[in-house]
Amino acid sequence: MSLEQTACEDLKAFERRLTEVIACLHPSTTRWRIVLVAVSICVATGASQWILDPETRIVSLSQSLSNHPFLYYRL
């Protein structure tokens, strides 16, 4: 076997192994994507409620955060 053939076979074996590993990680990846989407929706909802609150423009930042306990306790 020549050096090029050996290198080609090694690359093919690596590609097969990489495909196996990625296939095994698929359920875990799906779970994390669901968690990421859920957290993103919660953050967007909380931020929009905080920004759209009419008192946010009038009071200080600390007072505004204390008016919204969910945001205040997370920070």
Side-chain angles (χ1 to χ4, degrees), residues 50-60 64:
W50 181 51
I51 290 173
L52 295 176
D53 184 11
E55 288 187 19
T56 299
R57 297 179 195 125
I58 301 169
V59 297
S60 67
S64 177

Side-chain angles (χ1 to χ4, degrees), residues 9-49:
E9 288 180 18
D10 286 345
L11 284 173
K12 287 181 182 179
F14 175 74
E15 183 181 3
R16 283 192 300 271
R17 179 65 183 139
L18 191 60
T19 303
E20 278 180 32
V21 170
I22 290 172
C24 291
L25 291 176
H26 184 69
S28 178
T29 305
T30 303
R31 227 175 293 131
W32 280 110
R33 284 181 182 164
I34 291 170
V35 168
L36 179 64
V37 167
V39 168
S40 298
I41 290 171
C42 289
V43 168
T45 303
S48 66
Q49 288 178 355

